[in-house]
Amino acid sequence: MRLNSSIKEVKGIGDKTAGLFLKINIETIRDLISYFPRTYVQFPEIKRPDEVVEGETAAVIGQIRQTPIVKRVRSMQITVTSIVGMGKRLELVWFRLPYIKNSLHPGENYVFYGKVQHKNGRFVMEQPAIYTPEKYEAMEHLLLPVYTLPKGLSNQLMLKAERSVLEEEHLFRDYLPTELREKHQLCEYNYAIKQIHFPDDMETLIEARKRLVFDELFLFILNLQYQKEKKEKEKNQFSFQSDDFVEQLIEKLPYKLTNAQLRALSEVRADMRSDYVMQRLIQGDVGSGKTIIAFLAMADTAHNGCQSAIMAPTEVLARQHYESFQSMCEIFGLDFPVILITGSMTAKQKKLAYQEILDHPDALIIGTHALIQEKVIYQNLALVITDEQHRFGVKQREIFSEKGTKPHILVMSATPIPRTLAIILYGDLDISVVDEVPAKRLPIKNCVVDTRYRPKAYQFIEKEVAAGHQAYVICPLVEESENMEAENVTDYAKRLKEELPDTIEIGLLHGQMKSAQKNDVMERFAANEIQVLVSTTVVEVGVNVPNATVMMIENAEHFGLAQLHQLRGRVGRGDAQSYCIMVNCSNSKESQKRLDILNQSNDGFKIASEDLKLRGPGDFFGIRQSGEMQFALADIYQDAYIMQRASEEVADILGKDPELSSEDHKNLKDYLELFLADQRNKLNL
């Protein structure tokens, strides 16, 4: 079995199951073993029926006294039996599993594993797994991996597939030099892969994670620096005059730019007039006003007779930029053409847009990935602006830059990262920080509440909608999952329809919907045809709706602080007071402590800094961050120390061997090429 073989080579995986794996981007054996567990379950110690507590996931031992009964309710068969301990009964129920009856023999002891519920005055365990006491005791101290999976793909099937592949002795050549591994006490790569899926104990799991996190950060930084070393500083081939055109536009604005906006714009304009091509990142908190900087830079480019292009992460946002930029051109009395290109446009619309680009060398061009994927021929493209929504943006920028005569590159990011980490992560870019929020923006009012507050929250949303405003409700899951106890958008939207008046239109949005469906929902929400949008985190970079004033986040404890801050940034974009309600469904003191940071501050950079202080080696699994920092395992806050070490090693290796041409680095160079090919794949380029 080869790493690039189809997963259909794994026993038990046919066309139908392969289709389910494809939903989580698993096509090959390499994809399968690189899909890491979300968390791990350690089987609890065995209890008696009288020791169970409502809501816990427990392992309960008991003797079957009589043969289970199979009842038929409507068209469904239900198998029922019970066990008793110290006078306390635990009822066991299985739906649509009549054959369970034959595997439970009266007089024998079994261990039943599942969630304990209290229904109609009885303790009940539904669909419990069944073990003999001996088999359960053998598993009791194992860490069982739990994966994030789509509907139809069970955790059991995933475990079976991973086990069958990982039985092979050596799947990978370790590309890290032995000396480097020994220096940082990193385990061998094959060992790490096997232990991350099926750890012997917590110690080996920590060891495996450390190695794989180092790899992720090391390869990411190596790629940045290697590409930078290979490229000489490009000469600026565009001649921009230094007049007061932009200053005149700023004077006409109906509001004052902040000092941070003026500083960033000044740095951008200076770069575009320097001897070398600009490579700059504008790192600005949500709502800090980065879009107006982009517009003014593009207007400056058009004034100098050149084209500029901005790539937005979604079609809806691209259309909003298009309408906003057209409006600003009218306000300022500018006759520069504003052109839109998106993937969903018809062939005729695209053809007209391509012709407009050829006809107007001073156009402001706005679009999505279509700007680099479609057959666009630019005329004198001098400035490219990208929304750095994920970590593969480096490759996007390169492809975009090939569309013109080495245009200036400006990257915008709303992910708050402490400057020390930003310098490592954006090693190929100069950094401008927009760390002030425009004065007209009212600070968002925050509250962290428990589940008892939900009825009040729904009443509050109803009141805001009655006042003409809109609301978001965010859930972590698309649909109910056997692997994670959390709210899902599918069931939540149905429940909310029962809680709120019929006059309120409720919309549903998640990442598994087709692009056209997502665009339609987001456009209807932007037009206030939908008043309450129940969504997953797909709204993070989605759309600008100044009319939305409430952000309610369910299971807030499941999200990273930076991600929660990004979600909160979807509201507070208009003149009205906005609110963020974070529902904490956990009893953990740590969760409360983390969420209190958000409760007390709206400053993304301060939140990032506090997040960095709060996390430590004890926070083993970390909290997945959003946007461009979404690594498979690594967490830029929790793993800041490892990132620093990886950065130092990259500098050392490239300092001695910038081409990675020595025998010691042959495996490393091969693996880096594989890493880059994987990036291109993920971008469909």
Side-chain angles (χ1 to χ4, degrees):
M1 205 180 285
R2 295 171 181 272
L3 287 169
N4 58 359
S5 300
S6 164
I7 56 160
K8 285 191 271 188
E9 288 196 18
V10 178
K11 191 179 176 183
I13 298 178
D15 290 341
K16 188 180 175 184
T17 310
L20 293 170
F21 274 107
L22 197 56
K23 285 186 176 182
I24 46 175
N25 300 316
I26 295 177
E27 290 184 77
T28 65
I29 301 299
R30 183 191 297 279
D31 295 336
L32 180 68
I33 55 184
S34 302
Y35 193 79
F36 302 130
R38 174 177 56 78
T39 188
Y40 301 81
V41 172
Q42 190 155 17
F43 286 108
E45 287 185 13
I46 295 171
K47 289 185 171 184
R48 297 189 312 268
D50 57 295
E51 295 174 315
V52 299
V53 177
E54 182 189 356
E56 73 172 330
T57 299
V60 188
I61 194 165
Q63 188 185 80
I64 296 292
R65 300 278 176 90
Q66 55 190 34
T67 305
I69 300 163
V70 179
K71 298 191 268 187
R72 184 175 284 277
V73 177
R74 297 186 186 93
S75 60
M76 181 165 54
Q77 289 178 303
I78 302 175
T79 309
V80 182
T81 189
S82 62
I83 52 175
V84 179
M86 302 293 284
K88 191 171 178 181
R89 181 183 296 274
L90 176 66
E91 194 169 293
L92 306 162
V93 181
W94 293 268
F95 302 102
R96 296 189 178 91
L97 297 173
Y99 60 83
I100 288 284
K101 174 186 174 181
N102 304 324
S103 56
L104 294 171
H105 307 294
E108 290 189 18
N109 280 311
Y110 298 93
V111 176
F112 300 96
Y113 176 77
K115 188 176 179 181
V116 178
Q117 299 174 68
H118 197 254
K119 290 186 172 182
N120 303 320
R122 302 188 309 265
F123 279 96
V124 181
M125 192 183 275
E126 294 177 350
Q127 305 294 93
I130 306 164
Y131 302 95
T132 62
E134 297 74 27
K135 190 172 180 184
Y136 187 85
E137 281 165 14
M139 294 166 48
E140 206 168 338
H141 302 294
L142 292 179
L143 288 162
L144 185 74
V146 178
Y147 300 85
T148 300
L149 301 170
K151 194 173 183 179
L153 206 54
S154 71
N155 206 60
Q156 202 55 41
L157 178 62
M158 189 71 169
L159 293 176
K160 196 176 170 186
E162 295 285 7
R163 272 202 184 95
S164 69
V165 172
L166 293 171
E167 278 170 1
E168 294 205 21
E169 195 54 38
H170 275 83
L171 295 156
F172 297 94
R173 276 184 309 171
D174 200 323
Y175 66 91
L176 281 186
T178 309
E179 188 185 330
L180 190 152
R181 288 207 334 254
E182 287 172 355
K183 179 180 173 183
H184 295 285
Q185 297 177 310
L186 300 170
C187 62
E188 194 272 333
Y189 192 75
N190 288 280
Y191 175 81
I193 286 287
K194 289 175 183 181
Q195 288 294 323
I196 202 75
H197 287 286
F198 299 105
D200 293 336
D201 50 40
M202 185 56 83
E203 200 174 299
T204 58
L205 177 55
I206 291 170
E207 192 184 358
R209 184 186 180 278
K210 180 186 173 186
R211 166 65 206 260
L212 295 172
V213 164
F214 183 92
D215 281 24
E216 274 199 293
L217 296 170
F218 176 79
L219 283 169
F220 178 72
I221 297 163
L222 178 65
N223 175 34
L224 278 181
Q225 297 303 328
Y226 181 64
Q227 300 298 335
K228 190 178 180 183
E229 292 288 331
K230 286 206 306 184
K231 274 193 301 197
E232 289 180 24
K233 257 195 159 183
E234 302 283 354
K235 279 277 185 187
N236 181 5
Q237 296 179 45
F238 303 98
S239 179
F240 281 20
Q241 53 189 313
S242 297
D243 56 18
D244 58 359
F245 169 74
V246 172
E247 282 73 15
Q248 288 171 10
L249 295 185
I250 292 169
E251 287 295 316
K252 291 179 186 175
L253 283 170
Y255 51 84
K256 276 189 76 172
L257 294 184
T258 64
N259 289 332
Q261 284 173 309
L262 291 168
R263 186 175 63 242
L265 182 61
S266 170
E267 288 165 350
V268 168
R269 295 185 66 218
D271 281 356
M272 293 199 295
R273 288 161 174 78
S274 72
D275 294 336
Y276 298 101
V277 170
M278 172 174 69
Q279 295 272 348
R280 183 168 290 277
L281 165 74
I282 293 186
Q283 193 189 1
D285 205 351
V286 281
S288 60
K290 298 184 295 297
T291 307
I292 186 63
I293 299 172
F295 172 78
L296 291 168
M298 290 174 79
D300 188 17
T301 306
H303 173 66
N304 283 280
C306 298
Q307 288 182 342
S308 58
I310 180 167
M311 185 163 68
T314 66
E315 287 210 8
V316 177
L317 200 54
R319 286 183 190 280
Q320 285 191 331
H321 282 335
Y322 172 68
E323 287 161 13
S324 166
F325 285 18
Q326 271 191 322
S327 169
M328 281 193 268
C329 282
E330 283 173 25
I331 290 166
F332 292 133
L334 305 173
D335 60 358
F336 307 134
V338 182
I339 302 164
L340 177 71
I341 295 179
T342 67
S344 69
M345 286 166 66
T346 64
K348 186 180 178 182
Q349 288 171 325
K350 284 177 188 171
K351 194 176 176 184
L352 284 170
Y354 298 159
Q355 191 57 51
E356 278 193 274
I357 290 169
L358 285 171
D359 293 344
H360 299 287
D362 59 350
L364 280 66
I365 303 152
I366 294 144
T368 54
H369 280 67
L371 293 174
I372 55 173
Q373 290 173 331
E374 304 287 344
K375 297 166 186 173
V376 189
I377 299 169
Y378 296 96
Q379 292 292 313
N380 210 22
L381 181 65
L383 171 65
V384 160
I385 303 176
T386 66
D387 222 318
E388 185 90 329
Q389 75 184 74
H390 49 59
R391 68 190 179 102
F392 299 112
V394 180
K395 205 69 210 162
Q396 282 181 335
R397 299 201 302 267
E398 280 183 13
I399 291 157
F400 216 155
S401 70
E402 288 161 13
K403 291 280 188 182
T405 312
K406 296 299 173 194
H408 297 292
I409 300 286
L410 183 61
V411 181
M412 316 255 261
S413 174
T415 303
I417 312 165
R419 190 173 177 84
T420 48
L421 303 190
I423 288 165
I424 296 171
L425 287 162
Y426 293 103
D428 57 335
L429 303 172
D430 296 314
I431 300 174
S432 294
V433 179
V434 182
D435 51 6
E436 292 174 71
V437 176
K440 71 184 180 99
R441 292 267 166 93
L442 290 169
I444 295 167
K445 290 186 176 177
N446 308 296
C447 64
V448 177
V449 297
D450 61 30
T451 54
R452 291 172 299 178
Y453 187 83
R454 277 191 192 126
K456 278 190 181 176
Y458 299 153
Q459 286 167 16
F460 184 72
I461 287 171
E462 191 179 332
K463 184 181 151 198
E464 283 294 298
V465 171
H469 299 304
Q470 290 163 271
Y472 295 93
V473 178
I474 306 298
C475 300
L477 299 175
V478 173
E479 55 201 7
E480 196 174 358
S481 167
E482 65 170 50
N483 300 327
M484 184 174 170
E485 289 175 27
E487 295 294 340
N488 69 84
V489 289
T490 312
D491 293 336
Y492 203 101
K494 290 175 190 168
R495 193 162 81 228
L496 210 52
K497 281 176 183 173
E498 293 169 8
E499 296 281 350
L500 297 174
D502 294 342
T503 50
I504 295 176
E505 185 66 29
I506 295 165
L508 177 65
L509 184 70
H510 56 76
Q512 289 177 20
M513 292 164 70
K514 290 180 180 173
S515 291
Q517 285 177 296
K518 282 193 279 193
N519 284 330
D520 178 58
V521 171
M522 283 153 82
E523 280 174 3
R524 286 176 61 215
F525 186 62
N528 200 3
E529 291 168 19
I530 291 171
Q531 286 76 50
V532 178
L533 184 61
V534 181
S535 174
T536 56
T537 55
V538 74
V539 298
E540 275 176 296
V541 289
V543 63
N544 182 27
V545 183
N547 194 46
T549 56
V550 182
M551 169 60 70
M552 181 174 173
I553 305 168
E554 285 285 355
N555 296 102
E557 74 279 3
H558 282 301
F559 301 103
L561 293 190
Q563 190 168 28
L564 287 167
H565 181 63
Q566 293 273 58
L567 289 167
R568 176 170 62 185
R570 293 290 102 206
V571 295
R573 291 168 170 263
D575 298 332
Q577 178 64 60
S578 288
Y579 308 86
C580 181
I581 303 163
M582 290 168 272
V583 183
N584 181 9
C585 302
S586 163
N587 296 321
S588 153
K589 285 180 182 174
E590 286 73 22
S591 298
Q592 190 61 43
K593 191 176 175 185
R594 283 180 57 251
L595 293 173
D596 279 345
I597 292 170
L598 281 148
N599 203 10
Q600 291 158 18
S601 175
N602 288 318
D603 180 342
F605 292 97
K606 184 182 175 187
I607 287 162
S609 177
E610 288 297 318
D611 202 6
L612 187 56
K613 284 184 213 164
L614 192 62
R615 292 170 185 238
D619 183 12
F620 176 74
F621 298 112
I623 307 293
R624 296 288 153 84
Q625 297 301 320
S626 63
E628 67 269 37
M629 295 309 122
Q630 200 162 34
F631 295 95
L633 280 177
D635 178 291
I636 60 164
Y637 299 98
Q638 178 188 339
D639 302 312
Y641 177 78
I642 297 177
M643 184 157 69
Q644 185 67 48
R645 299 287 79 80
S647 179
E648 288 166 5
E649 286 303 336
V650 166
D652 186 50
I653 288 169
L654 292 179
K656 293 172 185 170
D657 184 12
E659 294 295 321
L660 298 177
S661 53
S662 73
E663 193 59 35
D664 285 350
H665 298 141
K666 185 179 182 305
N667 282 352
L668 179 55
K669 189 171 184 178
D670 289 347
Y671 202 85
L672 183 62
E673 291 302 324
L674 199 66
F675 176 76
L676 294 174
D678 190 45
Q679 284 190 13
R680 286 189 285 272
N681 245 358
K682 285 187 167 92
L683 281 170
N684 298 316
L685 300 172

